[in-house]
Amino acid sequence: MPILNRVAEMQDEIAGWRRHLHQIPELGFDVHRTAAFVVEKLKEFGCDEIVTGIGRTGVVGIIRGRRGDGPTIGLRADMDALPIHETTGKPYASTVPGTMHACGHDGHTAMLLGAAKYLAESRNFAGRLAVIFQPAEEGGGGGKEMVNDGMMERFAIEKVFGMHNRPSMPIGHFGIRPGPILAATAEFTITVKGRGGHAALPHHTIDPIVAGSQLVIALQNIVARHTNPLESLVVSVTTFHAGEAYNVIPAQAEITGTVRTLKREVSKSAEERIRTICNGIAALFGVTVDLAYNTNYPVTFNHPDETEFAGNVAADIAGEEQVDRSLPPAMGGEDFSYMLEARPGAFIFMGNGDSEYLHHPAYDFNDEAIPYGVSYWIKLTESALPAKAGT
Ligand code: NI
C-alpha cells in the first residue's frame, strides 16, 4: 500500500495544523495551547473519549474500531518545543521569542492528528486506538509522567509505537532496528572547591581551575581506557565555569556534562568511574570535589517482534528498499523509552530530507513527509488491529 489517496488529499490541511503549531511553540509541561488545539481537533473528528491532564498536560484520545471487542494499541506524538531562537525566516516562524519547534514535534503532533482524523472517519479496525500526545519530551520526562499516571492500565494499552523525523534521511525513507535505538542519558555536575587568592601568590591558594582541568582530562580516560571498545559510551564535558578576574584565583569551579550509553551496565560503570576520578582528583590536589549524578532517560529499546511488524508497515508504505531495518543506534535520548519499558512496541525514524539537524535554529519539519508519517500510522493501526472480513 503506497500513500493513501485520502491522506494525500488531507496533506494541506495537516500542514496547516503543523504551521499553526509551529507559530505557538511551548516548553516542557507548559503545552496548554498545544494541548487545547489537540483536544479541539479530536473533538471535531468525533473521538470517542478524550482525556486531558495525563502526566500533567498530556492528552489521550480513544477511537473505537468498527468492532470494539479487540485490544488497544497506543500511538504517541510529542508536543513540546525548545528554548532556541528561530532563524528560519519562514512566514509561519515562531511568534514566541526564544522558543521554537526545532525538533519537529509540531510535525509529529500534526501527523498523529491526521491519522486520528482518518481513523475516526473510516474505523476500519477492530479494538481501540489510543492516540497519545505527550508534553515535556525535551527534558522533564513527560513520557515517564504519563506512564506513572497509570496511562497504560487506564486505557488497557497493550502495545505502543512512536516515531521521530530524521534530517539527512531522504523523504519517504524509514529507519528502525531491534534492540537499543537511542541511548540512556545521564547528567553530572561536579563542584571543585579550593581556596581562592591572589594570582601572583598561587602557593597560598588551592587552585580549583588546575584541579578541574586535570579532572576534565581524566574523564576522557573512561571511554578511551576503561570501556570495552565494542561498547558505546559518550562522556562529554559541556560547561566549565570558574573565576571572574585576570588576577584572582577563584575558590570554586563548576563542571557539567552528559553521559550516553546503550546498556545499563556500561552506564553504571561510567558513573562509578566518574566518582572514583573525582575522589582521586580531590586527594591529588587537596580540593573537595562534589559530584551530583542524575540518571535521566533509559535506553530506548525496540522489542523484536513489534520492530519487525513496524518495519513491515513502513515497507508497505515506502517500499522495502526505502526501509533500513538495521539503522545504527544514535546516542541521543528519547523519553518514549519509558513507554517501551512499560509495554512492547517500537520507535521508528522517518526521513525529513535535506534539512538542518534537530535542535538547530534553522531546522524546520518538512511538510512533504506528512503523507508518509500519516499513512504509516494508519496502516500500522489497520494491520495491528485487523477488522474481520465481512464486518
Ligand atoms: Ni524530538
Side-chain angles (χ1 to χ4, degrees):
M1 179 190 87
I3 299 301
L4 295 158
N5 285 339
R6 176 78 183 104
V7 174
E9 283 166 27
M10 286 163 62
Q11 180 172 353
D12 284 350
E13 184 183 15
I14 299 168
W17 303 338
R18 203 283 289 183
R19 291 172 182 209
H20 168 69
L21 293 173
H22 193 86
Q23 289 184 290
I24 55 158
E26 297 174 293
L27 298 176
F29 287 98
D30 294 327
V31 290
H32 304 285
R33 290 177 77 186
T34 309
F37 181 80
V38 165
V39 168
E40 177 197 316
K41 287 293 160 201
L42 293 178
K43 274 186 189 154
E44 198 181 299
F45 306 156
C47 228
D48 298 297
E49 203 181 325
I50 302 164
V51 183
T52 59
I54 308 226
R56 298 198 232 171
T57 41
V59 179
V60 176
I62 297 290
I63 303 170
R64 276 193 284 275
R66 206 182 291 170
R67 285 177 48 142
D69 56 341
T72 305
I73 63 161
L75 309 181
R76 171 275 205 174
D78 35 17
M79 298 190 284
D80 59 321
L82 284 156
I84 295 176
H85 193 84
E86 180 162 354
T87 62
T88 64
K90 294 278 167 67
Y92 52 83
S94 169
T95 58
V96 184
T99 304
M100 82 170 283
H101 270 295
C103 202
H105 299 183
D106 48 347
H108 303 163
T109 296
M111 289 191 296
L112 189 54
L113 283 174
K117 177 170 180 172
Y118 178 100
L119 290 161
E121 271 172 23
S122 58
R123 301 189 185 246
N124 190 25
F125 59 95
R128 304 190 317 160
L129 171 67
V131 284
I132 302 165
F133 297 88
Q134 81 150 77
E137 194 288 314
E138 305 284 4
K144 183 186 192 178
E145 296 258 340
M146 291 185 92
V147 170
N148 288 349
D149 226 350
M151 173 179 75
M152 299 300 181
E153 297 76 18
R154 178 167 176 180
F155 300 104
I157 295 168
E158 293 185 22
K159 292 181 180 186
V160 284
F161 296 89
M163 173 165 37
H164 206 292
N165 77 94
R166 176 171 287 196
S168 79
M169 185 184 278
I171 296 287
H173 285 227
F174 289 87
I176 194 166
R177 77 189 309 274
I181 188 163
L182 284 162
T185 64
E187 277 82 49
F188 58 84
T189 301
I190 300 170
T191 310
V192 182
K193 289 179 190 151
R195 186 168 61 232
H198 202 296
L201 301 166
H203 55 298
H204 289 165
T205 73
I206 301 173
D207 189 341
I209 294 182
V210 172
S213 303
Q214 296 283 350
L215 197 148
V216 172
I217 299 300
L219 291 176
Q220 308 311 309
N221 286 294
I222 299 173
V223 175
R225 303 287 81 174
H226 187 73
T227 305
N228 182 335
L230 299 179
E231 300 289 358
S232 300
L233 173 66
V234 174
V235 178
S236 287
V237 171
T238 49
T239 74
F240 189 136
H241 294 294
E244 286 175 86
Y246 283 110
N247 55 358
V248 179
I249 290 170
Q252 183 171 312
E254 192 179 82
I255 297 161
T256 67
T258 182
V259 176
R260 309 289 171 111
T261 58
L262 296 176
K263 280 188 191 163
R264 206 181 293 269
E265 312 87 85
V266 178
S267 169
K268 199 76 211 128
S269 129
E271 179 183 351
E272 281 164 15
R273 203 65 207 151
I274 291 174
R275 208 167 285 285
T276 304
I277 288 171
C278 286
N279 293 338
I281 290 289
L284 189 59
F285 288 89
V287 290
T288 53
V289 182
D290 296 324
L291 170 67
Y293 193 93
N294 299 309
T295 48
N296 206 335
Y297 297 168
V299 172
T300 303
F301 192 92
N302 273 342
H303 299 244
D305 292 348
E306 287 69 27
T307 302
E308 196 186 339
F309 168 74
N312 293 344
V313 170
D316 239 333
I317 301 299
E320 187 67 55
E321 3 16 296
Q322 270 70 250
V323 181
D324 182 352
R325 292 173 186 256
S326 48
L327 186 77
M331 299 309 278
E334 165 60 68
D335 84 342
F336 185 63
S337 49
Y338 291 104
M339 297 194 193
L340 286 177
E341 284 192 333
R343 291 293 182 272
F347 187 74
I348 199 165
F349 285 101
M350 180 190 67
N352 196 54
D354 189 21
S355 69
E356 289 291 351
Y357 211 75
L358 304 172
H359 298 202
H360 188 281
Y363 165 87
D364 191 24
F365 180 84
N366 193 330
D367 289 329
E368 298 302 312
I370 286 173
Y372 294 95
V374 176
S375 296
Y376 171 78
W377 283 141
I378 293 168
K379 175 74 182 170
L380 190 153
T381 304
E382 292 179 349
S383 306
L385 305 171
K388 306 280 188 307
T391 57

